[in-house]
Amino acid sequence: MSAPPYAGELGLQLCHTCDKVCLLDTHECPRCWSVLHPRKPNSLVRTWALLIGALILYLPANLLPVMYTDMLGNGSESTILSGVIEFWRGGSWDIAVLIFIASVVVPCIKFFVLGLLLVTVQRRSRWAMPERSRLYRFIEIIGYWSMLDVLVVALVAALVQFRALSTIEPRLGILFFGLVVVLTMMAAMSFDPRLIWDAEKNDVR
Amino acid sequence: MAEAEASRAPLVICEHCDSVYQRPVLARKQTAHCQRCGALLARGRRLSTDQLLALTMAAAIVFLFANTFPIMGISMQGLSNEATLWQTVEALAQGRITLIALVTGLSIIFAPALQIILLAWVLVHARAGRVAPGFRACMRALEHLRPWSMLEVCLLGILVAIIKLAGMLEVHPGIGLWAMSMLTVLIILIGGRDVRGLWDELGVGRP
Ligand SMILES: [Zn+2]
């Protein structure tokens, strides 16, 4: 079984928006009129920028409180991690694990995997190419589940509004956390997984 | 020569590694994977245009229910309160953090709403054998909206919120929640790539 040819070798490129096979020297998809690029433009620079931006915002996202709870006059602020610990102590370890995975494990996996992909692509590494492809698809799928905590805070804050008895309000941390999710999603979108395979070719860009 | 090649043999290109293959003929539910990187290359169309349109109409109705009725309510010492999807988004629209309300609004209200409207527009025309005005823009918008539509995450969020609050007060799921669950399933069915079949079906952009 011989390896399939690459699109570039046949003078072809893919329209990312509508899947049409287009000629390499056209600049606009004849079918959907999207702008064509053989590779996503400035993929590495953009992905690095978004990834570093997300990493920086990840600090305030974890250090600042995401929620303020007022119970019968006793106010307290909680961060993402203290929320997880509260669930754990309260006996709902399953929810604690769920939120921990969505808010801590998933973003950290994304940081690590995107960093790994960027570094290996820049070194034109031929190491574990199918596995690295699979890793990329994995973070593409799991990325948006991190929005979970933002939605939980929003729901709880919308519901618990009893002036005298109890109120819950969102706090600044949730903004940073939401931005981290958006930036990591954009970073994953701007990374071009075809760059992984370009290491196999000799005459790339 | 490349010109002739591109138009004669129907080809597919793997979007994850740029490998070129002959377009496989796939039955319903069959899939083809790239032999180089393992990515999904093509999938047999699951839903016909008629089915897509029917499900889109159902989604439109369910969407109205999901956004009109409260998702859930709580009660505590004789007091009670309810929240709709919109009020959930509004709860985040406070001073400095308003930006996150916009992101949330996009992911659980606006993106699904636009998906339904755009799909209905192109599908109603396609069913009559016509290419909808603005077809290309609609199809491009549908592709770009897909990753930002996050109803399934919202559904899990509701579940977590219910468990979180059930510890301290009474929680009752509302009509909006049932509608949300149905909407989530419908958006997963209609929001996928099946709609790309319209390009060939309507012969758009064919010389
Ligand atoms: Zn491939």
Side-chain angles (χ1 to χ4, degrees):
Chain A
M1 195 168 67
S2 65
Y6 284 112
E9 297 166 354
L10 299 180
L12 301 172
Q13 63 178 330
L14 176 75
C15 169
H16 249 269
T17 311
C18 76
D19 273 353
K20 185 171 171 56
V21 176
C22 304
L23 296 176
L24 200 51
D25 53 14
T26 43
H27 300 287
E28 195 182 63
C29 174
R31 188 160 77 174
C32 76
W33 299 351
S34 297
V35 180
L36 293 172
H37 311 277
R39 294 291 176 269
K40 293 177 191 171
N42 295 322
S43 173
L44 295 178
V45 178
R46 274 195 206 185
T47 312
W48 268 122
L50 291 163
L51 181 64
I52 291 168
L55 262 171
I56 293 170
L57 295 183
Y58 194 57
L59 281 178
N62 277 286
L63 296 175
L64 294 176
V66 293
M67 204 168 82
Y68 170 80
T69 312
D70 185 337
M71 267 290 177
L72 304 163
N74 291 322
S76 66
E77 291 185 321
S78 56
T79 62
I80 286 175
L81 270 180
S82 74
V84 171
I85 293 169
E86 210 174 292
F87 267 123
W88 185 274
R89 289 213 182 117
S92 353
W93 59 269
D94 35 6
I95 298 296
V97 170
L98 190 66
I99 295 189
F100 185 76
I101 291 176
S103 320
V104 181
V105 178
V106 169
C108 287
I109 288 182
K110 286 189 85 172
F111 292 142
F112 176 74
V113 169
L114 279 173
L116 178 86
L117 291 174
L118 285 166
V119 170
T120 49
V121 160
Q122 278 175 332
R123 301 170 106 195
R124 294 178 58 85
S125 161
R126 296 191 182 194
W127 164 73
M129 299 205 288
E131 288 76 13
R132 281 191 286 144
S133 270
R134 215 170 298 143
L135 268 182
Y136 174 72
R137 293 197 292 274
F138 177 65
I139 58 162
E140 232 189 354
I141 294 169
I142 61 169
Y144 71 141
W145 286 98
S146 298
M147 278 299 274
L148 183 67
D149 219 40
V150 176
L151 290 161
V152 173
V153 169
L155 277 161
V156 172
L159 280 167
V160 185
Q161 291 297 338
F162 303 121
R163 283 169 184 270
L165 286 173
S166 172
T167 52
I168 293 182
E169 285 169 22
R171 282 287 185 263
L172 195 55
I174 206 68
L175 168 68
F176 288 107
F177 189 76
L179 291 178
V180 169
V181 181
V182 171
L183 288 185
T184 52
M185 280 177 69
M186 288 168 66
M189 287 176 203
S190 56
F191 182 80
D192 195 328
R194 293 170 293 187
L195 296 173
I196 297 170
W197 298 89
D198 282 346
E200 268 196 351
K201 298 168 221 167
N202 301 316
D203 57 338
V204 189
R205 291 189 288 136
Chain B
M1 190 209 100
E3 174 89 53
E5 217 172 321
S7 52
R8 204 188 313 123
L11 301 174
V12 276
I13 301 179
C14 172
E15 63 171 321
H16 283 96
C17 73
D18 235 10
S19 302
V20 182
Y21 301 89
Q22 298 279 334
R23 182 180 291 280
V25 181
L26 297 171
R28 225 175 137 259
K29 286 182 177 169
Q30 262 188 330
T31 54
H33 290 265
C34 173
Q35 54 166 286
R36 184 173 268 134
C37 75
L40 182 71
L41 206 56
R43 155 180 281 154
R45 216 176 149 183
R46 280 177 300 188
L47 299 167
S48 67
T49 302
D50 281 357
Q51 288 168 325
L52 271 176
L53 181 60
L55 292 176
T56 303
M57 290 309 170
I61 296 165
V62 174
F63 180 90
L64 292 178
F65 276 87
N67 279 277
T68 316
F69 293 100
I71 298 291
M72 54 198 236
I74 55 171
S75 47
M76 179 191 196
Q77 299 181 13
L79 296 170
S80 65
N81 199 9
E82 292 177 327
T84 58
L85 269 186
W86 180 253
Q87 286 165 333
T88 305
V89 173
E90 249 184 343
L92 291 176
Q94 298 193 1
R96 290 180 297 177
I97 68 166
T98 303
L99 181 59
I100 200 61
L102 295 179
V103 176
T104 314
L106 173 74
S107 60
I108 63 175
I109 299 178
F110 300 123
L114 275 171
Q115 279 179 304
I116 293 170
I117 292 168
L118 294 173
L119 278 167
W121 178 252
V122 295
L123 288 167
V124 162
H125 285 87
R127 203 164 171 270
R130 287 194 304 263
V131 178
F135 180 79
R136 288 179 172 89
C138 292
M139 294 291 276
R140 286 200 306 263
L142 279 171
E143 294 296 326
H144 294 127
L145 280 171
R146 191 177 299 131
W148 300 105
S149 177
M150 309 184 191
L151 282 176
E152 52 273 48
V153 183
C154 185
L155 210 55
L156 187 64
I158 294 171
L159 199 73
V160 172
I162 288 177
I163 297 173
K164 192 180 176 106
L165 293 172
M168 30 186 192
L169 29 77
E170 250 178 81
V171 186
H172 353 268
I175 299 174
L177 179 56
W178 308 123
M180 258 283 293
S181 320
M182 277 190 274
L183 183 61
T184 306
V185 176
L186 286 169
I187 291 281
I188 290 171
L189 288 173
I190 62 175
R193 295 184 169 206
D194 277 349
V195 70
R196 286 189 184 181
L198 287 183
W199 288 111
D200 285 335
E201 207 175 291
L202 296 170
V204 179
R206 213 176 278 155

